[in-house]
Amino acid sequence: MTNSRANNVAFRSEAVSFCGRVALRHVETRENGLNSSSNDAESPSDSATFSKTPSLSAKVARSEERLSIVTAVEAETAQPAAHDPFAERKATILAERKAASLVPATCLIVGIGSPHGDDQAGWQAIELLQAESWTKSDLRKAAVPHDLLDWLGGITELHIIDSCIGELNSLGAKRFALQKQPSSNASQWRWIPTEQEAKGNVTHLERPLNLRSAGSHKIDVLTVLELAACLDRLPEQVVLWAIPGHRYNASDTMSEDCQVAIQQCVTSIRQELYDA
Amino acid sequence: MSDSQPNHSNERTIKVEALSRVEGEGGLHVVIDNGQVLDVRLAIYEPPRFFEALLRGRPLEDVPDITARICGICPVAYQMTCVHALELALGVTISPEIRKLRRLLYCGEWIESHGVHIHLLHIPDFFGCHSSIELARRFPAEVNRGLRLKKIGNRLLEVLGGRAVHPVNVAVGGFYRVPKKAELTALTGDLDWGLDAAIETTRWVAGFDFPDFDQDYEMVALQHDTEYPMNEGRIASTRGLSIDVAEFEQHFAECQVPHSTALQAVRLPERTPYFVGPLARVNLNREQLSRSANQLSNELGINWPCMNPYRSIVVRALELVHAYEEALAIVRDYRPFAVGRIPYQARESEGMAATEAPRGLMFHRYRVDDEGKVTFAKIVPPTSQNQRQIETDLKALLPSVLDQDDSSISMSCEKLVRSYDPCISCSTHFLKLRIERR
């Protein structure tokens, strides 16, 4: 969209310059368009109005004025003016949109969460990853696990970051890899903790964790992944980063343990996807 | 997942540990004595969220963002209702352009919410599937279609709301940022596809087998003379009620019940239950549906007004058609405009509003002081308004299924509750079924 917008501005600029030398091309305005400082003027209409009347210079001046308004508004959108009280909000919106519309990579990292207490873990991890310069993967936040299904097209590697409650509370962030058993169907997926893999003592867990994301319509992360498998959408590699938590009420702040675990998680993801 | 306690009398107790495919945690306790249903209690045991208290002392500009966090599935409904209430308090009149964009945003939420409920939560009931996974194995094309329908709704929310997770672009007075024409026209292809897909979905679900369960409901929804209601209208009912939104609390009341942390709502003065949701909306506004949706509603062979809650799935599909058709019209007609947000001055005042969330009528009332701080907030979500009616429905259903085993009874109850598409988390300012057989 950025290129399209830049092209429109360039086109209108060239058009006005050309018309100013030879003739006038009437820049068509919409009802609430350029004269009202619209933030998205349409490209010039194909109906050109040529005039060599004494008012030509005035018309050219008006067109240039309109173009300058358009340019100024678009510049404002790109770099909010200091006096704009909503500048920060607009910048946030644009940054979120930009992050969401990254050119799809083959690796997708999703943080699942909510605004409440330790359930923010997935979202906060995504924010920390977004701030890291190495991150080229697609990064997204999800409020509900089933939104994952929207984003799996073309993805070969999926990392999910989610808060969890259960026996991991004292162990910090843990990584689980979804592994398909030989000659199995989707109903026989197993989660294998990698630490025990390294020790050669694999523990197979049917449903290893009480994932915090299990609240919404009971379509939890594991159900979503099973559904994705049924629909042939499941990426080849799926990794779950489980961040232990214990505070989940609406007014709760995030616990210190959870904050530490989030940092561990981000470091581990960096090591896995960038340093390796 | 049912459980039955041994008894030494004619009482029966049936427990279902968790009501699946609904939002939030809830329980249902049924007491049956000698084959008679004595008591049905819908017990919500999620901790109350205290949002109404959280809002006190906050700047009114924070209200849309805070209320959006009440629900991860329907944040727009909370945002729309609160901004309309606060704008009434402040004397703000939004422009027609802002009004249209808000309807477009609501279309996105209806599409997303109905898409999820229809395909992942409700359709499995009609094929004996215990989960959406089983359904996906039997009908992969239809589930994929449903997920794409839902995805387009999310995309609309992203474009207009600023992001998909708890939209940040809704403001008192309008929007922080007005979308560019290109951003909306980029959705035209998907919306075109979605309209056709929604029509196919409606025809498919209309052919399901529906239990006979017509009840004498009082259905309540917004009613509007010229459009299918979303953000504006009078509050009307199928029993002739027609009131201004400001009179809501004179005709409806929230009440506490000992077995639930969620408030229930009743009609005044009789303290009777009432029904909100898509079925109420369509029954009261069918002629205002979009052209395709209205035409479909005539083709489906349904006797209107429809009083069978199981057919809510058809009505949600009709609203999918409507939302797609209206979204297409707004997007095609869209012209960017300069003033995205109407300015206002803080003043000590009070305002209320009602809008139509995906699950039904939502009501908010706020008081603000002359510094623009919230001094009072009241939020009445649709699911809390339906709870009493759900209990009443279950009392009506149970006699017909008592001869079944506990597991089957539990499943029948769950299916009925699911037809309401309850969002139990919202209703706790929300299944575990326990049937006690005596």
Side-chain angles (χ1 to χ4, degrees):
Chain A
M1 288 178 197
T2 302
N3 285 339
S4 174
R5 182 175 66 224
N7 288 341
N8 280 343
V9 173
F11 174 71
R12 287 194 293 275
S13 175
E14 288 174 7
V16 169
S17 173
F18 172 76
C19 291
R21 289 196 304 272
V22 178
L24 171 68
R25 170 177 279 275
H26 175 65
V27 178
E28 182 177 6
T29 62
R30 300 287 181 163
E31 250 184 301
N32 299 305
L34 294 175
N35 284 338
S36 306
S37 299
S38 162
N39 65 357
D40 185 17
E42 300 299 311
S43 49
S45 94
D46 289 332
S47 59
T49 303
F50 296 91
S51 172
K52 292 184 181 177
T53 67
S55 63
L56 172 62
S57 60
K59 289 182 180 178
V60 170
R62 276 205 298 279
S63 292
E64 287 179 329
E65 179 187 343
R66 288 173 189 157
L67 179 61
S68 69
I69 292 171
V70 170
T71 308
V73 169
E74 290 186 334
E76 179 191 356
T77 306
Q79 292 181 350
H83 67 275
D84 184 354
F86 309 125
E88 189 177 336
R89 175 63 64 109
K90 286 179 184 173
T92 300
I93 292 167
L94 288 172
E96 296 268 358
R97 292 282 321 282
K98 184 183 174 189
S101 56
L102 285 171
V103 175
T106 58
C107 179
L108 170 67
I109 306 175
V110 178
I112 300 175
S114 78
H116 314 304
D118 291 346
D119 208 21
Q120 302 173 75
W123 291 359
Q124 187 155 331
I126 292 295
E127 287 170 13
L128 292 174
L129 287 166
Q130 284 172 340
E132 301 207 348
S133 59
W134 65 269
T135 314
K136 297 292 184 284
S137 309
D138 199 0
L139 299 164
R140 290 185 180 264
K141 296 179 190 174
V144 290
H146 53 71
D147 279 345
L148 274 175
L149 297 166
D150 293 347
W151 306 324
L152 297 180
I155 299 299
T156 58
E157 184 177 349
L158 171 65
H159 292 255
I160 301 168
I161 308 169
D162 196 8
S163 177
C164 72
I165 56 176
E167 63 267 30
L168 297 183
N169 275 347
S170 60
L171 300 177
K174 304 303 287 185
R175 177 190 186 280
F176 293 83
L178 182 64
Q179 290 197 0
K180 191 175 178 182
Q181 296 305 297
S183 64
S184 73
N185 58 32
S187 64
Q188 296 179 12
W189 291 98
R190 295 287 188 268
W191 288 89
I192 303 174
T194 55
E195 286 76 4
Q196 285 149 322
E197 258 190 307
K199 293 177 187 173
N201 180 23
V202 174
T203 299
H204 295 263
L205 302 172
E206 190 67 41
R207 289 270 170 153
L209 300 170
N210 182 12
L211 295 172
R212 182 60 190 160
S213 62
S216 180
H217 291 298
K218 299 300 183 186
I219 306 178
D220 62 355
V221 167
L222 300 183
T223 302
V224 166
L225 294 176
E226 286 185 44
L227 186 58
C230 282
L231 298 171
D232 292 325
R233 297 184 182 202
L234 194 66
E236 293 164 13
Q237 183 180 357
V238 179
V239 175
L240 171 67
W241 299 89
I243 299 178
H246 56 274
R247 289 188 201 168
Y248 295 104
N249 291 322
S251 54
D252 284 345
T253 55
M254 188 181 289
S255 65
E256 286 186 14
D257 287 347
C258 185
Q259 292 177 33
V260 169
I262 291 169
Q263 291 289 349
Q264 289 175 350
C265 174
V266 169
T267 300
S268 298
I269 291 175
R270 183 195 311 121
Q271 288 169 349
E272 179 164 329
L273 297 182
Y274 183 66
D275 296 343
Chain B
M1 294 191 287
S2 65
D3 175 27
S4 180
Q5 294 180 357
N7 65 86
H8 303 286
S9 66
N10 292 322
E11 291 182 355
R12 293 171 70 186
T13 302
I14 300 175
K15 278 185 186 179
V16 169
E17 290 305 315
L19 186 61
S20 61
R21 282 181 274 132
V22 294
E23 164 64 27
E25 302 288 336
L28 187 60
H29 186 181
V30 179
V31 178
I32 303 166
D33 187 359
N34 278 324
Q36 298 293 321
V37 178
L38 290 187
D39 191 22
V40 174
R41 282 174 277 154
L42 186 60
I44 306 299
Y45 43 79
E46 280 204 356
R49 294 183 179 221
F50 303 120
F51 275 95
E52 292 166 333
L54 279 173
L55 288 168
R56 295 188 186 186
R58 302 297 298 247
L60 62 92
E61 289 79 12
D62 287 354
V63 177
D65 290 346
I66 292 175
T67 56
R69 280 145 176 77
I70 293 176
C71 184
I73 300 167
C74 51
V76 168
Y78 286 90
Q79 292 184 322
M80 289 294 100
T81 315
C82 79
V83 295
H84 279 270
L86 290 168
E87 284 158 5
L88 182 71
L90 299 170
V92 173
T93 303
I94 58 172
S95 64
E97 293 85 2
I98 292 171
R99 190 180 184 279
K100 267 194 178 176
L101 276 189
R102 285 184 174 172
R103 285 187 68 89
L104 184 59
L105 186 63
Y106 233 147
C107 284
E109 179 154 283
W110 279 19
I111 288 168
E112 194 273 335
S113 178
H114 287 351
V116 168
H117 186 260
I118 290 170
H119 294 91
L120 299 186
L121 306 181
H122 206 181
I123 290 181
D125 284 343
F126 293 93
F127 293 96
C129 298
H130 291 99
S131 70
S132 53
I133 296 167
E134 284 185 43
L135 184 74
R137 290 192 186 118
R138 289 182 62 177
F139 299 101
E142 286 80 358
V143 173
N144 270 318
R145 181 179 66 202
L147 290 176
R148 186 176 169 187
L149 282 168
K150 161 199 163 318
K151 178 180 178 178
I152 296 167
N154 266 352
R155 187 80 189 106
L156 201 46
L157 291 176
E158 279 182 19
V159 169
L160 272 177
R163 66 185 188 193
V165 172
H166 296 128
V168 291
N169 198 23
V170 175
V172 177
F175 292 89
Y176 289 104
R177 180 184 178 274
V178 173
K180 298 180 184 301
K181 174 77 174 176
E183 291 169 353
L184 289 183
T185 54
L187 300 170
T188 306
D190 278 340
L191 292 173
D192 255 328
W193 175 90
L195 177 56
D196 289 338
I199 292 171
E200 281 180 43
T201 299
T202 306
R203 291 198 167 116
W204 182 43
V205 302
F208 292 172
D209 290 326
F210 297 97
D212 288 325
F213 193 72
D214 280 48
Q215 301 295 301
D216 184 23
Y217 296 118
E218 180 171 18
M219 294 203 170
V220 178
L222 287 181
Q223 195 172 49
H224 198 283
D225 291 335
T226 58
E227 64 187 16
Y228 198 71
M230 286 181 175
N231 284 319
E232 295 168 27
R234 292 176 63 78
I235 296 175
S237 85
T238 51
R239 290 186 186 166
L241 180 74
S242 179
I243 59 170
D244 190 83
V245 170
E247 298 172 69
F248 176 85
E249 291 168 277
Q250 299 168 29
H251 296 267
F252 304 91
E254 287 186 298
C255 50
Q256 287 186 323
V257 294
H259 57 270
S260 175
T261 57
L263 297 173
Q264 295 189 355
V266 294
R267 277 280 277 123
L268 296 175
E270 308 90 350
R271 303 191 76 80
T272 49
Y274 61 99
F275 186 118
V276 300
L279 197 52
R281 281 197 290 267
V282 170
N283 279 335
L284 287 163
N285 298 276
R286 193 165 66 91
E287 295 306 316
Q288 305 299 346
L289 282 169
S290 68
R291 186 181 57 82
S292 300
N294 194 8
Q295 191 176 327
L296 259 181
S297 74
N298 292 325
E299 289 175 6
L300 295 177
I302 295 177
N303 291 323
W304 301 102
C306 176
M307 294 293 183
N308 185 342
Y310 292 99
R311 290 186 182 269
S312 292
I313 192 172
V314 181
V315 170
R316 284 191 187 90
L318 278 175
E319 287 196 333
L320 261 186
V321 174
H322 173 90
Y324 267 102
E325 197 157 23
E326 175 156 2
L328 251 181
I330 294 174
V331 163
R332 284 179 171 149
D333 196 43
Y334 178 68
R335 302 290 181 265
F337 52 98
V339 184
R341 189 177 180 192
I342 309 298
Y344 54 83
Q345 293 285 338
R347 67 183 188 191
E348 186 176 345
S349 53
E350 181 177 73
M352 64 287 291
T355 73
E356 287 287 342
R359 288 162 185 79
L361 186 73
M362 177 178 296
F363 174 82
H364 290 199
R365 179 161 65 89
Y366 299 95
R367 281 201 293 265
V368 296
D369 63 19
D370 54 9
E371 294 180 3
K373 300 279 176 61
V374 175
T375 57
F376 172 84
K378 178 167 182 169
I379 298 170
V380 184
T383 297
S384 72
Q385 296 176 73
N386 273 337
Q387 283 187 52
R388 184 65 65 92
Q389 188 63 70
I390 293 174
E391 287 182 350
T392 306
D393 274 5
L394 287 163
K395 282 181 191 167
L397 171 73
L398 281 163
S400 65
V401 298
L402 283 180
D403 57 340
Q404 299 173 16
D405 59 59
D406 293 358
S407 174
S408 300
I409 293 175
S410 302
M411 184 57 65
S412 296
C413 291
E414 290 192 26
K415 287 180 183 178
L416 179 58
V417 175
R418 253 193 305 278
S419 69
Y420 279 83
D421 184 15
C423 193
I424 295 176
S425 295
C426 290
S427 69
T428 52
H429 34 181
F430 172 120
L431 204 126
K432 295 187 181 183
L433 172 63
R434 183 161 70 109
I435 301 179
E436 184 180 320
R437 302 177 189 272
R438 295 178 183 168

